[in-house]
C-alpha cells in the first residue's frame, strides 16, 4: 500500500517540485469498526470458549479478532453476480478448509450482507450472525484433519468502510466502475472469509455482470460466457493469496492485453481517466518487474497487470495480487513510476511472502519502499544511498520515535514503517555488503514464497547468510525510539 499523502512527501524528497492538492475525502459518516485497543489485543480475548468451538479470531497481537481459529482454508470458489440494482450483489461462496482441531462450530468473517443458506459438505448447517462473525454449526462434528467444504449463499449491498487516514476502503463504486481495495481488511465486505494473511488460499473468482462491463480480477482469465444480457467472467489465482489481496473491478474499463515471458498482461483503466500519463505509467509494469527479478528472484506469479480506478475518496494504491490497484491521482501527478515500482515490489514482499502478523508490516512496506528507491536510482534519479543519508541527517525526525518493527496497531501505515523500514535495509546492506544483502533478499523470497514470514525469521536469515551478529543493528533500527547509529 502507498498512501496519497506519503507519495507526496516522497515526490518532494525526489526533488520534483510537485505539490499535490489535498485529497478531498467526503464527509460521509465513518462506518469503520473501531480498531481494537492494544489492551484488547490479548490472545485470551479470542480463545475458544468450549471444546470443539473454533475461535472467533486468530489472536493477531494488533487485530485479535481478525480471522478465525480451528481451520485452514485451501481454496475459495467465489461466484458473485453484480446488480440488478447499483451496488447490489448476490454471492455463492464455497470455502474448502482443513480442520485443525475437532470442530462442532466455527466462524467466518463477513461484514453486513444477508446470508440465505449455509451448507457443510452438502448438509444444511445452522448459522448466526454476531457483528462481523458468521457462526456456523455443521450437522455433525468435523474431526481434526478433515477437509470440509462450506457453501454460503448471500446477497445485499456491501458497505464501504471509511478510514481517517486511507479514505474509502472495501467494496466501492466510482465513475461507472465497481471495485474492491483495502488493507488490512477488505475481503469481509464482499465474501465470507478467514480474513488474516496467515491463512492464504487459492481462489476461483467468477463475476457475472452486464454485457457492457469489462471485468478484471486476480490471476488468469479462464473464460467467459454470455447468457442473455449478462456475461460471466471466470478468473483464477493459482498461487496462494492473502484475503486483502483479492480484488476485482467491473464496469467502464479500457483494457490493454499482451503477453510477457509467456504470461498474460492485462492493464485496466477506468474510462473516466484521460488516456495518457496513467497508461504510460502502468505500461512500465513488465519492465519494472524484469528489473526487480535481478535482485529479488523470478517474478512469483502467472500473470501481470494493473487496475486504475478513478475515485478521489480512495487515498491509497494497493498491491492486490498480480493486479495492483492504483488510484488515478497517484499516477497523474508527476510521480510516474514510483508508486508502480512500489506496488510491483510488493508482489515479492507482501504477496508472495506475506506477514504472519500485522506487527511485521515493515516486511511489506519497508521492503517495497526500498525497492522503490532502487528503481528511482536505476532510472537516473536520486540514489538509494543519498535517500538514506538525507533521511538520517535529520536528528529530530519523527521517524526516530516510531519503531517500524512494532509501530502499534494505530500506526501500521506510519511513515516510519515505510521510510525507516527501507532505511533498515540500507543499514543492513552497508553492514553486510551488496553480495550478502541481495542473497538475503532472494533467499528470503525462496524460503517463504507462497507462505508467510516473520521479523525474527528475517533477522536469523540475515545473520546466517552474512555470518555476522546483527542483533544490535536490528534492535536499533526496528525497535529503538532514538536515531540509530550510522551504519
Ligand atoms: Zn506498500
Amino acid at each position: 500500500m502507498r498512501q496519497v499523502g506519503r507519495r507526496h512527501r516522497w515526490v518532494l524528497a525526489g526533488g520534483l517540485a510537485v505539490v499535490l492538492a489535498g485529497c478531498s475525502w467526503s464527509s460521509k459518516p465513518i462506518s469503520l469498526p473501531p480498531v481494537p485497543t492494544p489492551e484488547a489485543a490479548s490472545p485470551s480475548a479470542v480463545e475458544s470458549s468450549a471444546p470443539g468451538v473454533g475461535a472467533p479470531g486468530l489472536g493477531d497481537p494488533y487485530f485479535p479478532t481478525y480471522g478465525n481459529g480451528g481451520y485452514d482454508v485451501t481454496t475459495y470458489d467465489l461466484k458473485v453476480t453484480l446488480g440488478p440494482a447499483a451496488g447490489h450483489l448476490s454471492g455463492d461462496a464455497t470455502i474448502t478448509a482443513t480442520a485443525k482441531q475437532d470442530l462442532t462450530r466455527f466462524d467466518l468473517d463477513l461484514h453486513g450482507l444477508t446470508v440465505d443458506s449455509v451448507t457443510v459438505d452438502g448438509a444444511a448447517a445452522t448459522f448466526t450472525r454476531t457483528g462481523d462473525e458468521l457462526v456456523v454449526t455443521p450437522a455433525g462434528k468435523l474431526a481434526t484433519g478433515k477437509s470440509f467444504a462450506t457453501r454460503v449463499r448471500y446477497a445485499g449491498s456491501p458497505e464501504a468502510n471509511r478510514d481517517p487516514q486511507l479514505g474509502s476502503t472495501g467494496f466501492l463504486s466510482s465513475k461507472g466502475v465497481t471495485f474492491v481495495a483495502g488493507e488490512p481488511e477488505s475481503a469481509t465486505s464482499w465474501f465470507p472469509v478467514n480474513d488474516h494473511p496467515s491463512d492464504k488460499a487459492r481462489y476461483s473468482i467468477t463475476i457475472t455482470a452486464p454485457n457492457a462491463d469489462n471485468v478484471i480480477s486476480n490471476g488468469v482469465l479462464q473464460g467467459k460466457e454470455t447468457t442473455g444480457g449478462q456475461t460471466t467472467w471466470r478468473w483464477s489465482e493459482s498461487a496462494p493469496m492473502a484475503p486483502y489481496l483479492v480484488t476485482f473491478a467491473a464496469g467502464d474499463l479500457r483494457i490493454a492485453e499482451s503477453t510477457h515471458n509467456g504470461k498474460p498482461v492485462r492493464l485496466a483503466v477506468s474510462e473516466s481517466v484521460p488516456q495518457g500519463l496513467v497508461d504510460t505509467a502502468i505500461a512500465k509494469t513488465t519492465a519494472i518487474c524484469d528489473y526487480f527479478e535481478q535482485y529479488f528472484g523470478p517474478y512469483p506469479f502467472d500473470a501481470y497487470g494493473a487496475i486504475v480506478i478513478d475515485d478521489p475518496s480512495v487515498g491509497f494504491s494497493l498491491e492486490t495480487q498480480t493486479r495492483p490497484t492504483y488510484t488515478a491521482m497517484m499516477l497523474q501527478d508527476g510521480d510516474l513510476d514510483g508508486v508502480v515500482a512500489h506496488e510491483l515490489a510488493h508482489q515479492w514482499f507482501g504477496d508472495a511472502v506475506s506477514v504472519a502478523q500485522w506487527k511485521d508490516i515493515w516486511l511489506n512496506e519497508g521492503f517495497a519502499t526500498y525497492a522503490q528507491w532502487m528503481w528511482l536510482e536505476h532510472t537516473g534519479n536520486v540514489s538509494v544511498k543519498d535517500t538514506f543519508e538525507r533521511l538520517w541527517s535529520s536528528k529530530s525526525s519523527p521517524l526516530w520515535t516510531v519503531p517500524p518493527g512494532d509501530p502499534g496497531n494505530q500506526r501500521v501505515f506510519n511513515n516510519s514503517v515505510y521510510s525507516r523500514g527501507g532505511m533498515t535495509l540500507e543499514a543492513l546492506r552497508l553492514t553486510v555488503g551488496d553480495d550478502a544483502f541481495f542473497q538475503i533478499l532472494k533467499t528470503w523470497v525462496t524460503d517463504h514464497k507462497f507462505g508467510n514470514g516473520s521479523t525474527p525469521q528475517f533477522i536469523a536469515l540475515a545473520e546466517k547468510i552474512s555470518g555476522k551478529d546483527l542483533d544490535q543493528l536490528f534492535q536499533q533500527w526496528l525497535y529503538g525510539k532514538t536515531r540509530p547509529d550510522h551504519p
Side-chain angles (χ1 to χ4, degrees), residues 303-389:
Y304 300 89
I307 300 170
V308 182
I309 51 96
D310 186 13
D311 185 344
S313 77
V314 174
F316 61 92
S317 293
L318 185 65
E319 61 269 23
T320 37
Q321 192 157 308
T322 71
R323 301 261 146 60
T325 302
Y326 305 99
T327 182
M329 68 180 138
M330 291 178 81
L331 300 172
Q332 284 172 314
D333 220 11
D335 172 23
L336 292 185
D337 357 323
V339 70
V340 180
H342 181 100
E343 305 307 344
L344 290 174
H346 274 308
Q347 302 304 306
W348 284 262
F349 305 110
D351 295 11
V353 182
S354 300
V355 292
Q357 297 184 331
W358 283 109
K359 76 192 287 264
D360 289 333
I361 185 69
W362 87 279
L363 292 172
N364 291 7
E365 302 303 347
F367 284 51
T369 300
Y370 191 81
Q372 183 182 339
W373 293 344
M374 287 172 62
W375 176 253
L376 199 60
E377 177 175 315
H378 174 68
T379 52
N381 292 288
V382 63
S383 70
V384 176
K385 181 89 168 66
D386 286 353
T387 300
F388 176 91
E389 297 298 345

Side-chain angles (χ1 to χ4, degrees), residues 375-451:
W375 176 253
L376 199 60
E377 177 175 315
H378 174 68
T379 52
N381 292 288
V382 63
S383 70
V384 176
K385 181 89 168 66
D386 286 353
T387 300
F388 176 91
E389 297 298 345
R390 181 184 53 77
L391 290 169
W392 192 83
S393 69
S394 170
K395 285 183 186 162
S396 59
S397 169
L399 293 178
W400 312 136
T401 58
V402 177
D406 190 5
N409 70 351
Q410 305 282 346
R411 294 187 296 201
V412 290
F413 301 120
N414 185 276
N415 190 31
S416 171
V417 172
Y418 291 73
S419 296
R420 188 167 149 190
M423 294 175 78
T424 301
L425 291 177
E426 177 65 2
L428 173 65
R429 182 175 174 177
L430 293 171
T431 303
V432 304
D434 280 12
D435 289 351
F437 176 72
F438 288 110
Q439 196 189 336
I440 291 165
L441 293 190
K442 275 187 180 167
T443 308
W444 176 246
V445 175
T446 305
D447 287 358
H448 297 276
K449 188 155 77 172
F450 306 143

Side-chain angles (χ1 to χ4, degrees), residues 53-136:
V53 175
L58 276 167
D60 184 289
Y62 282 7
F63 305 107
T65 62
Y66 284 14
N68 307 286
Y71 63 92
D72 187 65
V73 180
T74 49
T75 60
Y76 290 87
D77 183 357
L78 308 177
K79 295 184 173 71
V80 170
T81 300
L82 303 178
H88 188 274
L89 63 76
S90 53
D92 182 350
T94 299
I95 300 117
T96 304
T98 303
K100 288 160 63 177
Q101 63 177 73
D102 289 353
L103 284 174
T104 56
R105 200 178 91 191
F106 62 90
D107 284 20
L108 289 159
D109 303 314
L110 182 67
H111 180 71
L113 303 171
T114 300
V115 174
D116 299 318
S117 69
V118 179
T119 64
V120 175
D121 289 337
T126 56
F127 61 92
T128 56
R129 305 292 301 276
T130 308
D132 286 351
E133 303 292 322
L134 168 60
V135 183
V136 178

